[in-house]
Amino acid sequence: MVAAVLGYIVAMVGYAIEYAFGRQGVVARIAARTPRQATKVLVATDGTEIPVVDDGEDDEAGHRPPVDAGRAAMIGRIALGVQTVAAAAHAACLVFRSLAAHRVPWGNMYEYVLTACFIATVAWLVVAYKRSSVRHLGLFVSLVVAILLCLDAAKLYATAGPLVPALNSYWLIIHVSAMTVASGLFMVGFVTMSLYLIQERREHALAVEARARRTDGDDYVERPLRFPLTLGERLPAAESIERLGFRLHALAFPIWTFAIMCGAIWAEHAWGTYWNWDPKETWSFIAWVVYAAFLHARATPSLRGRWSGWIAIVGWAVMMVNLFGVNFVVTGLHSYAGVG
Protein backbone atom coordinates (compact mmCIF):
# COMPACT_ATOMS: atom_id res chain seq x y z
CA MET A 1 0.00 0.00 0.00
CA VAL A 2 2.88 2.35 0.76
CA ALA A 3 4.28 1.70 -2.72
CA ALA A 4 0.89 2.41 -4.28
CA VAL A 5 0.44 5.70 -2.40
CA LEU A 6 3.97 6.85 -3.23
CA GLY A 7 3.39 5.93 -6.87
CA TYR A 8 0.18 7.94 -6.98
CA ILE A 9 1.96 10.94 -5.46
CA VAL A 10 4.79 10.72 -8.01
CA ALA A 11 2.23 10.42 -10.81
CA MET A 12 0.39 13.42 -9.38
CA VAL A 13 3.58 15.50 -9.59
CA GLY A 14 4.12 14.40 -13.19
CA TYR A 15 0.56 15.29 -14.11
CA ALA A 16 1.02 18.66 -12.41
CA ILE A 17 4.04 19.39 -14.62
CA GLU A 18 2.07 18.54 -17.75
CA TYR A 19 -0.87 20.53 -16.42
CA ALA A 20 1.26 23.66 -16.00
CA PHE A 21 3.68 23.37 -18.92
CA GLY A 22 1.90 21.08 -21.37
CA ARG A 23 0.18 21.86 -24.64
CA GLN A 24 -2.83 23.32 -22.86
CA GLY A 25 -0.82 24.96 -20.09
CA VAL A 26 -0.73 28.72 -19.76
CA VAL A 27 3.05 28.63 -19.22
CA ALA A 28 3.53 26.89 -22.57
CA ARG A 29 1.38 29.45 -24.38
CA ILE A 30 3.30 32.35 -22.88
CA ALA A 31 6.62 30.74 -23.74
CA ALA A 32 5.63 30.13 -27.35
CA ARG A 33 7.46 32.37 -29.83
CA THR A 34 4.31 32.86 -31.89
CA PRO A 35 0.89 32.83 -30.16
CA ARG A 36 -1.27 29.94 -31.22
CA GLN A 37 -4.35 30.86 -33.18
CA ALA A 38 -7.86 29.89 -32.20
CA THR A 39 -9.09 27.00 -34.32
CA LYS A 40 -12.64 26.74 -33.05
CA VAL A 41 -15.24 28.96 -31.44
CA LEU A 42 -17.57 28.17 -28.56
CA VAL A 43 -20.91 29.94 -28.53
CA ALA A 44 -22.19 30.83 -25.07
CA THR A 45 -25.87 30.73 -24.14
CA ASP A 46 -26.18 34.46 -24.78
CA GLY A 47 -24.70 34.17 -28.27
CA THR A 48 -21.22 35.45 -27.37
CA GLU A 49 -18.43 33.74 -29.30
CA ILE A 50 -15.42 32.48 -27.27
CA PRO A 51 -12.29 31.51 -29.26
CA VAL A 52 -10.67 28.31 -28.03
CA VAL A 53 -7.30 26.86 -29.03
CA ASP A 54 -7.56 23.35 -30.39
CA ASP A 55 -5.57 20.53 -28.82
CA GLY A 56 -4.03 19.23 -32.07
CA GLU A 57 -0.35 18.94 -32.93
CA ASP A 58 -0.32 22.15 -35.00
CA ASP A 59 -2.51 25.18 -34.85
CA GLU A 60 -4.29 26.74 -37.83
CA ALA A 61 -1.24 28.80 -38.78
CA GLY A 62 1.01 25.73 -38.67
CA HIS A 63 2.91 26.75 -35.53
CA ARG A 64 4.28 23.97 -33.39
CA PRO A 65 3.98 24.21 -29.58
CA PRO A 66 7.16 25.14 -27.72
CA VAL A 67 9.73 22.50 -26.83
CA ASP A 68 8.80 22.68 -23.15
CA ALA A 69 5.27 21.58 -24.01
CA GLY A 70 6.63 18.49 -25.74
CA ARG A 71 8.81 17.65 -22.76
CA ALA A 72 5.87 18.20 -20.44
CA ALA A 73 3.79 15.81 -22.54
CA MET A 74 6.57 13.22 -22.20
CA ILE A 75 6.51 13.70 -18.43
CA GLY A 76 2.73 13.27 -18.54
CA ARG A 77 3.16 9.96 -20.34
CA ILE A 78 5.72 8.90 -17.74
CA ALA A 79 3.26 9.89 -15.00
CA LEU A 80 0.62 7.72 -16.64
CA GLY A 81 3.06 4.81 -16.64
CA VAL A 82 3.94 5.41 -12.98
CA GLN A 83 0.26 5.48 -12.08
CA THR A 84 -0.19 2.19 -13.92
CA VAL A 85 2.63 0.61 -11.90
CA ALA A 86 1.14 2.07 -8.71
CA ALA A 87 -2.22 0.55 -9.65
CA ALA A 88 -0.47 -2.83 -10.03
CA ALA A 89 0.97 -2.42 -6.51
CA HIS A 90 -2.52 -1.44 -5.34
CA ALA A 91 -3.93 -4.63 -6.90
CA ALA A 92 -1.20 -6.66 -5.18
CA CYS A 93 -2.19 -5.04 -1.89
CA LEU A 94 -5.75 -6.29 -2.37
CA VAL A 95 -4.56 -9.77 -3.36
CA PHE A 96 -2.30 -10.14 -0.32
CA ARG A 97 -5.01 -8.76 1.92
CA SER A 98 -7.35 -11.44 0.58
CA LEU A 99 -4.75 -14.16 1.15
CA ALA A 100 -4.10 -12.94 4.69
CA ALA A 101 -7.81 -12.84 5.58
CA HIS A 102 -8.76 -15.98 3.59
CA ARG A 103 -11.71 -14.17 2.03
CA VAL A 104 -12.61 -11.41 -0.43
CA PRO A 105 -10.91 -8.12 0.53
CA TRP A 106 -13.94 -5.96 1.28
CA GLY A 107 -15.21 -7.08 4.66
CA ASN A 108 -14.72 -3.77 6.53
CA MET A 109 -14.43 -0.04 5.92
CA TYR A 110 -10.65 -0.12 5.44
CA GLU A 111 -10.94 -2.69 2.69
CA TYR A 112 -13.95 -0.98 1.12
CA VAL A 113 -12.09 2.33 0.70
CA LEU A 114 -9.02 0.46 -0.52
CA THR A 115 -11.03 -1.30 -3.22
CA ALA A 116 -13.06 1.76 -4.23
CA CYS A 117 -9.87 3.78 -4.74
CA PHE A 118 -8.48 0.98 -6.89
CA ILE A 119 -11.62 0.97 -9.06
CA ALA A 120 -11.39 4.76 -9.40
CA THR A 121 -7.76 4.51 -10.49
CA VAL A 122 -8.50 1.80 -13.05
CA ALA A 123 -11.43 3.80 -14.40
CA TRP A 124 -9.24 6.86 -14.84
CA LEU A 125 -6.45 4.85 -16.49
CA VAL A 126 -8.97 3.58 -19.07
CA VAL A 127 -10.07 7.18 -19.76
CA ALA A 128 -6.50 8.51 -19.91
CA TYR A 129 -5.25 5.82 -22.28
CA LYS A 130 -8.20 6.36 -24.61
CA ARG A 131 -8.14 10.19 -24.48
CA SER A 132 -4.66 11.60 -24.12
CA SER A 133 -6.03 15.16 -24.31
CA VAL A 134 -7.40 14.83 -20.76
CA ARG A 135 -4.41 12.95 -19.35
CA HIS A 136 -3.17 15.91 -17.32
CA LEU A 137 -6.46 15.92 -15.39
CA GLY A 138 -5.10 12.83 -13.66
CA LEU A 139 -3.57 15.37 -11.28
CA PHE A 140 -6.95 15.81 -9.58
CA VAL A 141 -7.94 12.13 -9.66
CA SER A 142 -4.58 11.11 -8.17
CA LEU A 143 -4.94 13.79 -5.51
CA VAL A 144 -8.34 12.50 -4.35
CA VAL A 145 -7.17 8.86 -4.41
CA ALA A 146 -3.96 9.65 -2.49
CA ILE A 147 -5.87 11.61 0.19
CA LEU A 148 -8.43 8.83 0.68
CA LEU A 149 -5.75 6.13 0.84
CA CYS A 150 -3.70 8.07 3.40
CA LEU A 151 -6.84 8.57 5.49
CA ASP A 152 -7.67 4.90 5.02
CA ALA A 153 -4.26 3.74 6.26
CA ALA A 154 -4.03 6.24 9.13
CA LYS A 155 -7.55 6.09 10.56
CA LEU A 156 -9.41 3.09 9.18
CA TYR A 157 -6.88 0.27 9.22
CA ALA A 158 -8.16 -3.02 10.60
CA THR A 159 -6.16 -6.21 11.10
CA ALA A 160 -6.90 -8.92 8.55
CA GLY A 161 -9.24 -11.52 9.97
CA PRO A 162 -12.32 -13.62 9.30
CA LEU A 163 -15.71 -12.11 8.56
CA VAL A 164 -18.29 -11.59 11.24
CA PRO A 165 -21.02 -14.27 10.93
CA ALA A 166 -23.56 -11.82 9.49
CA LEU A 167 -21.29 -11.13 6.50
CA ASN A 168 -20.34 -14.72 5.82
CA SER A 169 -22.49 -15.09 2.71
CA TYR A 170 -22.02 -15.26 -1.03
CA TRP A 171 -24.12 -12.09 -1.20
CA LEU A 172 -21.12 -10.22 0.17
CA ILE A 173 -19.27 -10.84 -3.08
CA ILE A 174 -22.20 -9.71 -5.20
CA HIS A 175 -23.54 -6.79 -3.17
CA VAL A 176 -20.35 -5.17 -1.86
CA SER A 177 -18.38 -5.64 -5.08
CA ALA A 178 -21.09 -3.77 -6.98
CA MET A 179 -21.06 -1.06 -4.32
CA THR A 180 -17.30 -0.58 -4.60
CA VAL A 181 -17.31 -0.50 -8.39
CA ALA A 182 -20.07 2.13 -8.43
CA SER A 183 -18.34 4.15 -5.70
CA GLY A 184 -15.06 4.18 -7.64
CA LEU A 185 -16.81 5.38 -10.80
CA PHE A 186 -18.75 8.01 -8.87
CA MET A 187 -15.43 9.22 -7.40
CA VAL A 188 -13.95 9.91 -10.84
CA GLY A 189 -17.28 11.39 -11.94
CA PHE A 190 -17.21 13.75 -8.96
CA VAL A 191 -13.72 15.00 -9.86
CA THR A 192 -14.75 15.46 -13.49
CA MET A 193 -17.95 17.37 -12.69
CA SER A 194 -16.07 19.60 -10.23
CA LEU A 195 -13.68 20.58 -13.01
CA TYR A 196 -16.63 21.09 -15.33
CA LEU A 197 -18.24 23.59 -12.95
CA ILE A 198 -14.97 25.53 -12.77
CA GLN A 199 -14.60 25.63 -16.54
CA GLU A 200 -18.27 26.45 -17.08
CA ARG A 201 -18.02 29.44 -14.74
CA ARG A 202 -14.83 30.56 -16.47
CA GLU A 203 -16.37 30.38 -19.93
CA HIS A 204 -19.38 32.34 -18.66
CA ALA A 205 -17.08 34.97 -17.14
CA LEU A 206 -15.18 35.25 -20.44
CA ALA A 207 -18.47 35.69 -22.29
CA VAL A 208 -19.54 38.46 -19.92
CA GLU A 209 -16.12 40.09 -20.28
CA ALA A 210 -16.30 39.97 -24.08
CA ARG A 211 -19.75 41.54 -24.03
CA ALA A 212 -18.59 44.29 -21.64
CA ARG A 213 -15.54 44.97 -23.82
CA ARG A 214 -17.76 45.48 -26.87
CA THR A 215 -20.18 47.68 -24.94
CA ASP A 216 -17.71 49.89 -23.04
CA GLY A 217 -15.06 50.20 -25.73
CA ASP A 218 -12.08 52.26 -24.55
CA ASP A 219 -13.64 52.68 -21.09
CA TYR A 220 -13.53 48.95 -20.44
CA VAL A 221 -11.54 47.94 -17.34
CA GLU A 222 -10.36 44.33 -17.38
CA ARG A 223 -11.10 42.28 -14.28
CA PRO A 224 -8.67 39.34 -13.95
CA LEU A 225 -10.10 35.96 -13.09
CA ARG A 226 -9.47 34.60 -9.64
CA PHE A 227 -8.92 31.13 -8.26
CA PRO A 228 -10.43 28.61 -8.88
CA LEU A 229 -11.50 29.99 -12.27
CA THR A 230 -7.84 30.36 -13.25
CA LEU A 231 -7.64 26.54 -13.26
CA GLY A 232 -9.82 26.60 -16.35
CA GLU A 233 -6.98 27.93 -18.51
CA ARG A 234 -5.51 24.41 -18.55
CA LEU A 235 -8.79 22.49 -18.82
CA PRO A 236 -10.56 21.22 -21.94
CA ALA A 237 -13.78 22.88 -23.02
CA ALA A 238 -16.59 22.64 -20.47
CA GLU A 239 -18.80 20.69 -22.85
CA SER A 240 -16.11 18.02 -23.28
CA ILE A 241 -15.58 17.66 -19.52
CA GLU A 242 -19.31 17.51 -18.86
CA ARG A 243 -19.76 14.78 -21.44
CA LEU A 244 -17.07 12.67 -19.78
CA GLY A 245 -18.61 13.18 -16.34
CA PHE A 246 -22.04 12.19 -17.60
CA ARG A 247 -20.73 8.97 -19.13
CA LEU A 248 -19.06 7.98 -15.86
CA HIS A 249 -22.24 8.63 -13.89
CA ALA A 250 -24.38 6.88 -16.49
CA LEU A 251 -22.18 3.81 -16.13
CA ALA A 252 -22.09 3.89 -12.32
CA PHE A 253 -25.81 4.48 -11.71
CA PRO A 254 -27.17 1.11 -12.90
CA ILE A 255 -24.38 -0.65 -10.99
CA TRP A 256 -25.39 1.23 -7.83
CA THR A 257 -29.03 0.31 -8.50
CA PHE A 258 -28.08 -3.34 -8.88
CA ALA A 259 -26.10 -3.18 -5.61
CA ILE A 260 -29.10 -1.79 -3.68
CA MET A 261 -31.35 -4.49 -5.12
CA CYS A 262 -28.87 -7.20 -4.11
CA GLY A 263 -28.62 -5.66 -0.65
CA ALA A 264 -32.40 -5.84 -0.26
CA ILE A 265 -32.42 -9.52 -1.24
CA TRP A 266 -29.56 -10.21 1.18
CA ALA A 267 -31.44 -8.36 3.94
CA GLU A 268 -34.48 -10.57 3.40
CA HIS A 269 -32.29 -13.68 3.72
CA ALA A 270 -30.49 -12.38 6.83
CA TRP A 271 -33.15 -10.38 8.67
CA GLY A 272 -36.44 -11.57 7.18
CA THR A 273 -37.37 -8.26 5.53
CA TYR A 274 -36.24 -6.50 2.36
CA TRP A 275 -35.99 -3.03 3.85
CA ASN A 276 -35.45 -1.86 7.44
CA TRP A 277 -34.75 1.86 6.94
CA ASP A 278 -31.39 1.22 8.53
CA PRO A 279 -29.12 4.35 8.31
CA LYS A 280 -26.88 2.70 5.72
CA GLU A 281 -29.87 1.63 3.64
CA THR A 282 -31.46 5.06 3.95
CA TRP A 283 -28.38 7.00 2.84
CA SER A 284 -27.74 4.56 0.00
CA PHE A 285 -31.27 5.21 -1.19
CA ILE A 286 -30.79 8.98 -0.81
CA ALA A 287 -27.66 8.71 -2.97
CA TRP A 288 -29.66 6.76 -5.54
CA VAL A 289 -32.33 9.46 -5.61
CA VAL A 290 -29.76 12.25 -6.01
CA TYR A 291 -27.95 10.51 -8.86
CA ALA A 292 -31.29 9.72 -10.53
CA ALA A 293 -32.06 13.44 -10.26
CA PHE A 294 -28.69 14.17 -11.89
CA LEU A 295 -29.47 11.95 -14.87
CA HIS A 296 -32.95 13.49 -15.17
CA ALA A 297 -31.55 17.03 -14.96
CA ARG A 298 -28.91 16.22 -17.53
CA ALA A 299 -31.64 15.07 -19.94
CA THR A 300 -33.67 18.26 -19.32
CA PRO A 301 -32.46 21.19 -21.48
CA SER A 302 -33.37 23.82 -18.88
CA LEU A 303 -31.42 22.02 -16.14
CA ARG A 304 -28.53 20.59 -18.12
CA GLY A 305 -25.20 22.19 -17.34
CA ARG A 306 -24.57 24.03 -14.10
CA TRP A 307 -27.63 22.66 -12.30
CA SER A 308 -26.94 19.04 -13.16
CA GLY A 309 -23.27 19.54 -12.26
CA TRP A 310 -24.14 20.72 -8.76
CA ILE A 311 -26.52 17.80 -8.32
CA ALA A 312 -23.60 15.46 -9.07
CA ILE A 313 -21.53 17.22 -6.39
CA VAL A 314 -24.38 16.80 -3.89
CA GLY A 315 -24.53 13.11 -4.83
CA TRP A 316 -20.87 12.62 -3.90
CA ALA A 317 -21.40 14.52 -0.64
CA VAL A 318 -24.21 12.08 0.19
CA MET A 319 -21.84 9.20 -0.62
CA MET A 320 -19.30 10.59 1.86
CA VAL A 321 -21.98 10.90 4.53
CA ASN A 322 -22.95 7.30 3.84
CA LEU A 323 -19.33 6.15 4.06
CA PHE A 324 -17.94 8.17 6.96
CA GLY A 325 -20.87 9.77 8.77
CA VAL A 326 -22.97 6.64 9.11
CA ASN A 327 -20.05 4.39 10.06
CA PHE A 328 -18.57 6.73 12.67
CA VAL A 329 -21.64 8.45 14.10
CA VAL A 330 -24.64 6.16 13.73
CA THR A 331 -25.07 2.58 14.90
CA GLY A 332 -27.28 0.32 12.85
CA LEU A 333 -27.64 -3.09 11.29
CA HIS A 334 -24.66 -2.36 9.01
CA SER A 335 -22.16 -1.69 11.82
CA TYR A 336 -19.42 -3.82 10.28
CA ALA A 337 -16.91 -1.07 9.47
CA GLY A 338 -14.30 -2.45 11.88
CA VAL A 339 -13.36 1.02 13.18
CA GLY A 340 -14.71 0.66 16.70
Side-chain angles (χ1 to χ4, degrees):
M1 183 174 182
V2 172
V5 173
L6 291 177
Y8 292 145
I9 293 175
V10 171
M12 183 175 64
V13 173
Y15 287 135
I17 293 175
E18 184 180 22
Y19 179 80
F21 296 94
R23 198 176 309 279
Q24 294 175 310
V26 64
V27 178
R29 293 199 299 272
I30 294 175
R33 294 182 179 180
T34 305
R36 298 180 67 190
Q37 304 295 322
T39 58
K40 62 180 179 178
V41 174
L42 294 178
V43 180
T45 54
D46 59 358
T48 304
E49 295 183 347
I50 306 172
V52 178
V53 175
D54 198 359
D55 301 332
E57 292 295 329
D58 298 325
D59 62 18
E60 193 176 55
H63 299 300
R64 302 286 293 181
V67 176
D68 287 345
R71 292 178 179 175
M74 180 183 66
I75 294 176
R77 290 191 291 270
I78 294 175
L80 185 61
V82 171
Q83 189 177 25
T84 304
V85 174
H90 197 158
C93 178
L94 291 171
V95 170
F96 287 124
R97 178 75 179 188
S98 179
L99 293 175
H102 302 286
R103 54 173 174 78
V104 291
W106 46 76
N108 51 53
M109 190 174 177
Y110 165 75
E111 296 169 356
Y112 183 91
V113 174
L114 192 66
T115 307
C117 288
F118 174 72
I119 297 298
T121 301
V122 171
W124 175 251
L125 288 175
V126 172
V127 172
Y129 275 110
K130 292 185 64 176
R131 298 181 58 184
S132 60
S133 61
V134 299
R135 181 180 56 221
H136 60 294
L137 303 186
L139 161 65
F140 304 99
V141 177
S142 299
L143 175 63
V144 174
V145 170
I147 290 174
L148 283 177
L149 284 180
C150 289
L151 177 63
D152 194 33
K155 300 295 183 181
L156 306 179
Y157 180 78
T159 304
L163 293 170
V164 297
L167 296 180
N168 194 12
S169 170
Y170 63 89
W171 281 106
L172 174 71
I173 301 175
I174 303 173
H175 169 63
V176 182
S177 62
M179 283 283 186
T180 53
V181 170
S183 297
L185 292 172
F186 281 139
M187 185 189 306
V188 183
F190 157 73
V191 174
T192 305
M193 295 307 294
S194 299
L195 297 177
Y196 160 72
L197 289 173
I198 293 174
Q199 184 68 315
E200 190 274 338
R201 282 191 58 193
R202 176 178 176 273
E203 290 181 359
H204 176 74
L206 290 177
V208 172
E209 180 184 355
R211 185 167 59 249
R213 185 183 290 108
R214 280 199 313 269
T215 303
D216 299 341
D218 295 336
D219 296 332
Y220 172 75
V221 179
E222 184 176 358
R223 296 179 178 85
L225 298 177
R226 297 182 178 181
F227 182 85
L229 299 188
T230 51
L231 294 175
E233 296 177 357
R234 293 82 153 176
L235 300 178
E239 182 181 356
S240 176
I241 305 175
E242 192 274 341
R243 192 182 305 115
L244 175 60
F246 164 71
R247 289 174 177 173
L248 289 166
H249 283 88
L251 176 61
F253 181 75
I255 300 176
W256 186 258
T257 303
F258 173 75
I260 292 178
M261 293 171 60
C262 292
I265 297 173
W266 189 8
E268 197 278 333
H269 278 265
W271 303 319
T273 178
Y274 289 99
W275 199 263
N276 298 279
W277 292 107
D278 179 73
K280 181 70 71 171
E281 294 175 344
T282 302
W283 281 97
S284 296
F285 177 70
I286 292 174
W288 184 90
V289 171
V290 174
Y291 282 120
F294 162 75
L295 295 177
H296 176 73
R298 209 271 182 180
T300 305
S302 60
L303 297 177
R304 179 177 178 177
R306 185 179 300 180
W307 279 103
S308 60
W310 278 112
I311 293 174
I313 302 302
V314 172
W316 181 251
V318 172
M319 293 285 286
M320 290 297 96
V321 171
N322 190 23
L323 179 61
F324 293 102
V326 173
N327 286 326
F328 281 100
V329 178
V330 182
T331 301
L333 296 173
H334 287 79
S335 300
Y336 310 126
V339 293

